[in-house]
Amino acid sequence: MTQAAYIHIPFCEHICHYCDFNKVFLKGQPVDEYLTALEAEMKITMAKTPTKGLNSIFVGGGTPTALSVKQLERLCKIIQDHLPFNNGLEYTFEANPGDLTADKLKVLFDSGVNRLSFGVQSFNDELLKKIGRTHKAEDVFRSVEAAKKVGFHNISIDLIYSLPGQTLEDFNQTLDTSFSLGTTHFSGYSLIIEPKTIFYQLHHKGVLQLPDEDEEAAMYETLMNQMEKHGYHQYEISNFSKKGFESRHNLTYWDNDYYYGFGAGAHSYINGVRRSNYGPLKKYMTPIENNQLPIMDEIILSEKEMWEEEMFLGLRKIKGVSINHFIGKFGNSPLVIFEDVINQLVNKDLIHVRDGCISLTKKGLFLGNEVFQAFLLN
């Protein structure tokens, strides 16, 4: 049963230098027509693959909060009208610091949104400018304070480390500032240079000065140590929370459970089938006008592919992959299917098998990609 939904809003008021998500500049875009298409996609999908109720909804982008107050109201009503909410639903909106007015916050809160995820990235104003962000550190404080005043208590902050010209000292200062906000959740990601981004072009030209691997590893270790020191437990490679505030939506992905994906460029996983929607707005909206889903790619997973995904997604979690859960899901043990791989990785001290789970070691946390790659069977 599908219990999660991701909704993509591809509009941004500016484009960050590192971002490779499906997005377009907001100005002059057919936002209202897009919302109409989004509503139609939900209707078609829920008629074809219904669910009794959702435990999590995540609205991301792009920048969902770049919409006007009226458009936000309409988006929230579309979601309420067509997606079934379970009691205790985790309902998240991504937001940029500085663009959340009191009116927008009230619309979200009154519509049942109970979690906000702010793209902060750094508290160094010079670094923020260098990576293409338009907000400043002071905007974060104002936005978080305004959100708490409206009634939001579950607030997450995204941080990026290993930024161009960033030092370990600077990252420590960003962490210290972050903890002063008293939020419930953090995501901390190392910068990845993705194709089709401004940073990719600069890196290709050799003019993007990045911290080396040792500096990056030191920042990650600092991130883990400081989070633990301040009472945030690490439950996934890049995610930390106060107890009870783990991201239910992201755990859907790492638990390899089914989820809906609505909107341009969105991905879904339903009944063993992975789908991706068309990204360009016109290509996304045209099939929907003909009462068809805007599917660009569709992959029906083989049993072997399901085994692989269960391992390399589940190993992102600190608790790892439950052996009994794997057996209950697939009728076979990962210790049998992946016997040679597991033995090799245990000998390298990258994973361990204990307490009924297969999980990363401390060393494995730093070399996760090597571990995940090993579980792709030939």
Side-chain angles (χ1 to χ4, degrees), residues 338-351 374:
F338 298 102
E339 181 180 7
D340 291 343
V341 173
I342 288 171
N343 287 337
Q344 290 169 14
L345 294 173
V346 167
N347 289 336
K348 291 181 179 179
D349 190 32
L350 295 177
I351 64 171

Side-chain angles (χ1 to χ4, degrees), residues 176-234:
D176 287 342
T177 306
S178 298
F179 295 132
S180 72
L181 292 167
T183 59
T184 53
H185 187 281
F186 284 97
S187 297
Y189 302 105
S190 173
L191 176 69
I192 298 175
I193 305 300
E194 301 282 6
K196 300 179 182 178
T197 64
I198 293 173
F199 273 176
Y200 182 83
Q201 297 168 17
L202 295 175
H203 189 61
H204 187 67
K205 292 176 183 177
V207 296
L208 191 68
Q209 299 301 315
L210 298 172
D212 61 29
E213 288 185 4
D214 289 341
E215 290 172 310
E216 180 183 342
M219 289 181 193
Y220 182 48
E221 186 159 24
T222 295
L223 175 70
M224 291 190 289
N225 291 340
Q226 289 299 312
M227 287 291 167
E228 183 179 8
K229 178 181 174 182
H230 286 83
Y232 295 87
H233 82 103
Q234 184 175 14

Side-chain angles (χ1 to χ4, degrees), residues 220-342:
Y220 182 48
E221 186 159 24
T222 295
L223 175 70
M224 291 190 289
N225 291 340
Q226 289 299 312
M227 287 291 167
E228 183 179 8
K229 178 181 174 182
H230 286 83
Y232 295 87
H233 82 103
Q234 184 175 14
Y235 68 98
E236 189 266 348
I237 287 179
S238 303
N239 284 267
F240 309 80
S241 76
K242 295 291 187 181
K243 288 290 185 181
F245 289 95
E246 299 84 356
S247 170
R248 198 180 305 166
H249 190 80
N250 286 344
L251 282 169
T252 297
Y253 301 145
W254 303 320
D255 288 338
N256 203 20
D257 289 334
Y258 295 149
Y259 57 91
Y260 298 107
F262 300 107
H267 293 250
S268 63
Y269 182 39
I270 304 171
N271 300 331
V273 181
R274 292 201 178 274
R275 296 188 180 97
S276 58
N277 285 349
Y278 286 107
L281 297 188
K282 187 170 179 57
K283 281 196 170 185
Y284 166 74
M285 293 190 287
T286 298
I288 296 174
E289 291 169 1
N290 299 312
N291 204 38
Q292 295 178 345
L293 290 174
I295 297 170
M296 180 180 70
D297 289 315
E298 181 174 274
I299 300 172
I300 301 173
L301 297 182
S302 67
E303 188 173 42
K304 180 173 78 73
E305 289 169 327
M306 290 182 184
W307 295 340
E308 293 170 351
E309 290 195 353
E310 191 78 11
M311 295 304 297
F312 66 68
L313 289 170
L315 279 167
R316 290 192 63 90
K317 298 178 294 182
I318 299 304
K319 70 178 182 181
V321 176
S322 163
I323 295 169
N324 283 339
H325 181 77
F326 190 104
I327 293 170
K329 197 169 181 178
F330 301 111
N332 204 342
S333 171
L335 299 177
V336 174
I337 296 170
F338 298 102
E339 181 180 7
D340 291 343
V341 173
I342 288 171

Side-chain angles (χ1 to χ4, degrees), residues 35-52:
L35 294 179
T36 297
L38 193 62
E39 181 173 21
E41 185 193 2
M42 289 183 189
K43 286 181 182 177
I44 298 168
T45 300
M46 300 310 289
K48 289 188 173 184
T49 53
T51 187
K52 290 181 179 178

